C-alpha cells in the first residue's frame, strides 16, 4: 500500500491541457510519494498519458504548476527531465533508427566516450554491453544496429536506457503490451526494486486491470480529462474500477459466451508446407466462420506467420493460399480480400501524417474510385461509419492520426479493414493499448465477423484473449507448433503456459 508518510516527490497543481478545441486535462491535481507504484488507468483519451508526458518534459501544459523534489518544475524537453531523474518509457517505439544499440543508450552523452572530439565507439560498445548484462539482456549487444531488432527488443533497449541513469521517478506508459513474458517479468522486477528497495517512485500506465491491481500500491482512475478516484490496494475491485473508468456499468460479458468450437467447411486461408528461416513445414487451415488463435512468447515465430499470411514476406518454400491462389504480396492480399492488423501500428499499419479518413479509406480506394475519380461522399460515409462504430476520439475525420492516443490509433487500424469488408482478417495483437470498454466492443465485433463467415487469424500474447475468443489455439515455441487446443469452458492459462516456455 502507498507510503503516505513517504516524501512527496512530485505534485501537479491545477494542470490544464488543451489541443485546439479538445480539452485533454481539466484542472487536474496529482500527488506522487516515494515508495509508490502508482497505477494510472482510464479509457483511451482520458488524459493519463498526457499528465505524465507534461511532467516528463515531452510537452507543456496550457496552465498549472508542477513541483518536483520540493522545487518548481518546468522541463523544456524529455532530455532535461531525464537528466534531472524523471524518466518516461513511451507506449510507441522511441529508439533512434539507423544507429547502434549503444548510440541509443548513450544518446546525448557521447562526450563521455570522446577524446579530442573523436568518439571511441569500442569504449561505448563495452559500456553498453556491461549495462545490458547487468539487466540480464545478453542476446542484444552494444554494436547491434537498432533497425535489426524486433519491436520488443527495441522496447527493452528503451527500458535499459531509462534505468541506466538511475531515475528518481520512472513512468511506464503501456510498455508491457510490447513485451513477451520474460520482458514483462524483467520490467516488474525493476519497478518493484525501485519503489520497495530504493524508495523511489513509479507511475504505471496500463489498460490491463489485472496487471494494475497486482503490481500497483495505489491506482488513480481518469475519465475525460478528470481524476475521478484514487484507490488504495485494499480498496481494489475490478468491477468498481471499470465503472469509474467508463462512467457506467459495462456488465460482465467480455469474451465469447459460447464454448463450442465451430467453423464452416470452406477454407479462407491456408498455409501449406511453409518454410521461412527457422519456421519449418508450417501447415494451417483457417476456415470461414472460424477464429484460429496463435499464442506464445513474442519471439516464438507467431508474428512472422502473420506477415507470411499477408504476403509481407515470402516463404522460402511452400505456399500461402487464398481460394487456391498464392498470396504473393500485400497488394495482391488486399485484392484477395485479406486484411492485416499489425502489432507495430505506427510503422506498419498507419500513415501517421495522414488523416483518419485517408487511413481508413486506404485499402478501399479501388472500390471508391471510378476511373481516376474518388467519390468524396462515399469516403466520408465510410469514415464516419467507422468513427461511430469504434468510438474513435478525434476532432473530425480530417484529424491527423499522429494526434490520436495509442488506443484510438489502434481503432483506426482496426477500422480500415472493417471498412474494406475483408473476408480474411489477420489480427496481430489487435487490442494492444486499448481500454477495457473498447476491448469489449472489439471482441463483440470479432464475434460478429465470425458469425458473418469471416476467417480470422488472431495472433496474441494474451492467453486470456485467446482462450476467450478462439475456436482453436495453436501454441508456438522456438518457431515450432508445440500444441493445439480446442475451445473449451475448462481450458485455463495454466494448461497452456508450459507449452510456451
Amino acid at each position: 500500500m502507498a507510503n503516505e508518510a513517504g516524501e512527496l516527490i512530485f505534485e501537479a497543481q491545477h494542470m490544464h491541457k488543451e489541443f485546439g478545441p479538445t480539452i485533454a486535462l481539466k484542472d487536474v491535481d496529482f500527488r506522487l510519494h516515494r515508495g509508490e507504484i502508482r497505477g494510472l488507468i482510464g479509457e483511451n483519451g482520458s488524459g493519463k498519458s498526457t499528465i505524465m508526458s507534461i511532467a516528463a518534459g515531452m510537452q507543456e501544459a496550457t496552465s498549472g504548476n508542477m513541483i518536483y523534489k520540493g522545487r518548481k518544475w518546468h522541463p523544456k524537453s524529455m532530455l532535461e527531465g531525464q537528466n534531472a531523474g524523471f524518466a518516461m518509457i513511451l507506449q510507441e517505439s522511441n529508439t533512434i533508427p539507423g544507429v547502434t544499440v549503444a548510440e541509443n543508450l548513450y544518446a546525448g552523452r557521447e562526450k563521455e566516450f570522446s577524446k579530442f572530439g573523436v568518439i571511441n565507439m569500442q569504449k561505448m560498445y563495452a559500456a553498453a554491453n556491461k549495462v545490458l548484462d547487468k539487466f540480464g539482456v545478453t542476446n542484444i549487444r552494444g554494436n547491434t544496429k537498432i533497425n535489426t531488432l524486433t519491436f520488443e527488443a527495441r522496447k527493452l533497449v528503451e527500458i535499459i536506457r531509462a534505468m541506466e541513469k538511475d531515475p528518481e521517478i520512472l513512468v511506464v506508459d503501456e510498455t508491457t503490451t510490447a513485451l513477451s513474458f520474460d520482458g514483462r517479468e524483467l520490467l516488474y522486477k525493476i519497478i518493484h526494486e525501485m519503489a520497495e528497495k530504493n524508495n523511489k517512485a513509479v507511475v504505471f500506465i496500463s489498460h490491463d486491470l489485472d496487471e494494475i491491481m497486482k503490481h500497483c500500491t495505489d491506482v488513480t482512475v481518469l475519465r475525460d480529462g478528470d481524476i475521478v478516484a484514487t484507490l488504495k490496494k485494499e480498496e481494489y475491485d475490478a468491477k468498481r474500477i471499470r465503472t469509474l473508468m467508463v462512467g457506467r456499468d459495462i456488465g460482465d460479458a467480455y469474451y465469447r459466451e459460447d464454448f463450442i468450437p465451430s467453423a464452416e467447411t470452406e477454407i479462407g486461408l491456408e498455409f501449406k508446407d511453409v518454410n521461412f528461416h527457422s519456421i519449418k513445414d508450417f501447415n494451417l487451415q483457417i476456415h470461414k466462420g472460424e477464429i484460429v488463435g496463435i499464442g506464445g512468447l513474442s519471439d516464438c515465430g507467431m508474428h512472422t506467420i502473420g506477415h507470411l499470411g499477408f504476403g509481407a514476406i515470402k516463404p522460402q518454400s511452400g505456399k500461402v493460399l487464398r481460394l487456391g491462389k498464392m498470396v504473393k504480396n500485400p497488394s495482391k492480399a488486399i485484392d484477395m480480400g485479406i486484411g492485416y492488423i499489425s502489432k507495430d501500428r505506427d510503422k506498419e499499419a498507419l500513415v501517421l501524417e495522414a488523416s483518419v479518413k485517408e487511413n481508413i479509406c486506404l485499402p478501399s480506394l479501388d472500390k471508391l474510385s471510378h476511373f481516376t475519380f474518388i467519390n468524396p461522399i462515399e469516403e466520408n460515409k465510410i469514415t464516419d461509419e467507422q468513427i461511430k462504430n469504434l468510438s474513435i476520439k478525434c476532432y473530425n475525420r480530417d484529424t491527423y492520426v499522429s494526434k490520436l492516443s495509442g488506443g484510438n490509433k489502434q481503432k483506426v487500424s482496426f477500422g480500415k479493414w472493417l471498412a474494406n469488408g475483408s473476408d480474411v482478417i489477420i489480427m496481430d495483437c489487435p487490442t494492444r493499448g486499448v481500454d477495457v470498454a473498447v476491448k469489449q466492443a472489439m471482441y463483440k465485433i470479432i464475434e460478429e465477423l465470425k458469425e458473418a463467415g469471416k476467417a480470422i487469424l488472431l495472433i496474441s500474447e494474451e492467453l486470456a484473449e485467446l482462450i476467450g475468443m478462439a475456436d482453436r489455439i495453436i501454441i508456438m515455441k522456438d518457431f515450432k507448433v508445440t500444441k493445439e487446443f480446442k475451445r473449451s469452458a475448462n481450458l485455463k492459462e495454466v494448461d497452456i503456459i508450459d507449452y510456451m516456455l
Side-chain angles (χ1 to χ4, degrees):
M1 99 182 241
N3 181 7
E4 289 297 339
E7 179 188 351
L8 180 67
I9 189 169
F10 174 79
E11 183 175 9
Q13 302 169 334
H14 306 295
M15 186 184 282
H16 189 83
K17 180 64 177 176
E18 297 177 2
F19 294 99
T22 303
I23 299 174
L25 294 175
K26 304 171 184 175
D27 199 42
V28 164
D29 292 322
F30 178 80
R31 292 161 65 90
L32 181 68
H33 293 81
R34 289 187 179 276
E36 278 190 318
I37 303 175
R38 174 70 67 88
L40 287 189
I41 197 166
E43 289 191 280
N44 296 122
S46 63
K48 54 192 184 298
S49 295
T50 305
I51 291 177
M52 300 320 302
S53 64
I54 292 169
M58 188 177 172
Q59 59 183 326
E60 292 193 23
T62 305
S63 61
N65 299 306
M66 295 185 289
I67 298 169
Y68 171 51
K69 296 202 291 188
R71 296 183 179 181
K72 283 195 173 181
W73 177 241
H74 190 70
K76 298 294 184 183
S77 68
M78 286 188 73
L79 183 59
E80 182 183 336
Q82 288 167 4
N83 289 337
F86 207 125
M88 184 170 183
I89 306 166
L90 301 176
Q91 179 179 354
E92 303 304 338
S93 181
N94 191 37
T95 50
I96 304 165
V99 298
T100 63
V101 168
E103 288 167 296
N104 269 272
L105 289 176
Y106 297 110
R109 299 169 56 190
E110 292 83 0
K111 286 184 180 179
E112 297 175 23
F113 304 94
S114 66
K115 191 172 184 180
F116 306 118
V118 178
I119 299 172
N120 185 334
M121 293 306 298
Q122 295 306 315
K123 186 178 177 183
M124 186 187 284
Y125 295 153
N129 289 341
K130 188 174 179 181
V131 73
L132 288 162
D133 290 343
K134 175 185 171 185
F135 287 96
V137 181
T138 57
N139 60 329
I140 302 172
R141 297 291 83 190
N143 62 354
T144 303
K145 289 287 187 182
I146 201 79
N147 290 26
T148 65
L149 299 180
T150 63
F151 185 62
E152 179 196 5
R154 296 197 303 272
K155 189 57 64 178
L156 287 173
V157 171
E158 289 180 48
I159 292 169
I160 294 168
R161 181 175 64 194
M163 292 306 301
E164 199 270 340
K165 295 191 73 174
D166 194 24
E168 294 289 319
I169 296 175
L170 176 67
V171 181
V172 180
D173 189 358
E174 291 287 353
T175 302
T176 53
T177 60
L179 299 176
S180 68
F181 178 85
D182 290 339
R184 291 181 192 195
E185 290 302 307
L186 172 62
L187 183 59
Y188 297 147
K189 179 184 176 186
I190 286 170
I191 65 173
H192 282 286
E193 284 184 352
M194 269 195 73
E196 295 160 13
K197 292 185 180 180
N198 301 326
N199 199 33
K200 297 183 178 184
V202 177
V203 178
F204 197 86
I205 302 170
S206 177
H207 286 301
D208 189 328
L209 188 50
D210 291 335
E211 182 177 61
I212 286 276
M213 293 194 296
K214 181 177 180 180
H215 294 285
C216 296
T217 57
D218 305 70
V219 60
T220 294
V221 186
L222 289 100
R223 185 172 71 241
D224 297 329
D226 281 320
I227 289 177
V228 294
T230 295
L231 308 176
K232 298 185 184 302
K233 201 169 186 85
E234 61 266 27
E235 299 176 291
Y236 290 178
D237 176 80
K239 188 171 184 179
R240 180 187 177 192
I241 294 172
R242 284 197 296 265
T243 301
L244 285 167
M245 287 169 56
V246 182
R248 66 185 190 281
D249 185 353
I250 64 171
D252 296 322
Y254 200 57
Y255 302 115
R256 285 170 59 184
E257 294 185 331
D258 71 282
F259 291 101
I260 302 170
S262 59
E264 298 177 23
T265 54
E266 186 178 325
I267 297 168
L269 188 68
E270 182 175 9
F271 297 80
K272 195 169 185 179
D273 300 322
V274 168
N275 288 273
F276 184 81
H277 295 299
S278 297
I279 294 172
K280 305 294 183 187
D281 298 319
F282 182 84
N283 287 279
L284 178 64
Q285 293 179 341
I286 306 160
H287 294 80
K288 290 183 64 176
E290 182 180 36
I291 302 171
V292 175
I294 302 185
L297 301 183
S298 185
D299 56 357
C300 69
M302 61 183 178
H303 304 298
T304 304
I305 296 298
H307 283 102
L308 287 162
F310 191 56
I313 53 178
K314 294 181 180 179
Q316 291 167 322
S317 63
K319 300 175 182 178
V320 179
L321 301 169
R322 163 81 177 132
L323 302 177
K325 296 182 179 179
M326 285 181 63
V327 180
K328 294 182 178 179
N329 55 55
S331 179
K332 291 291 184 186
I334 293 169
D335 291 343
M336 293 170 142
I338 303 172
Y340 174 66
I341 298 170
S342 170
K343 178 184 178 182
D344 193 350
R345 56 177 168 251
D346 280 11
K347 287 194 171 184
E348 297 181 351
L350 299 169
V351 182
L352 296 181
E353 297 308 318
S355 68
V356 171
K357 177 173 73 175
E358 288 167 320
N359 274 275
I360 285 176
C361 293
L362 186 61
S364 307
L365 289 179
D366 285 347
K367 297 177 183 177
L368 293 168
S369 62
H370 181 65
F371 297 108
T372 58
F373 176 74
I374 296 173
N375 189 329
I377 296 173
E378 281 299 310
E379 268 192 307
N380 293 341
K381 180 182 175 183
I382 284 173
T383 305
D384 291 344
E385 186 177 323
Q386 295 309 319
I387 289 173
K388 180 182 177 183
N389 289 348
L390 293 170
S391 300
I392 299 170
K393 289 186 180 179
C394 57
Y395 181 54
N396 58 37
R397 66 175 84 95
D398 295 316
T399 303
Y400 274 21
V401 168
S402 60
K403 302 295 183 185
L404 304 184
S405 68
N408 282 296
K409 287 178 185 175
Q410 190 70 348
K411 294 181 198 178
V412 174
S413 178
F414 206 92
K416 70 182 194 178
W417 301 113
L418 299 183
N420 193 44
S422 303
D423 290 316
V424 177
I425 306 181
I426 301 166
M427 303 179 176
D428 194 344
C429 301
T431 62
R432 184 177 78 84
V434 302
D435 61 64
V436 62
V438 175
K439 263 192 178 184
Q440 186 185 48
M442 284 187 170
Y443 292 145
K444 182 65 177 172
I445 290 168
I446 292 170
E447 194 171 354
E448 289 171 355
L449 291 170
K450 170 186 163 60
E451 290 168 0
K454 309 292 187 182
I456 299 167
L457 179 59
L458 176 59
I459 301 164
S460 179
E461 292 160 16
E462 305 294 335
L463 288 181
E465 183 168 81
L466 294 173
I467 293 169
M469 295 305 298
D471 293 291
R472 289 185 288 143
I473 301 172
I474 310 296
I475 296 299
M476 294 184 69
K477 176 186 174 183
D478 298 330
F479 303 94
K480 299 179 181 69
V481 174
T482 56
K483 186 72 173 177
E484 178 174 330
F485 295 90
K486 287 189 176 179
R487 183 168 188 78
S488 167
N490 300 317
L491 185 60
K492 301 290 186 289
E493 290 187 29
V494 69
D495 302 326
I496 296 176
I497 199 161
D498 282 347
Y499 294 94
M500 296 167 47
L501 302 178

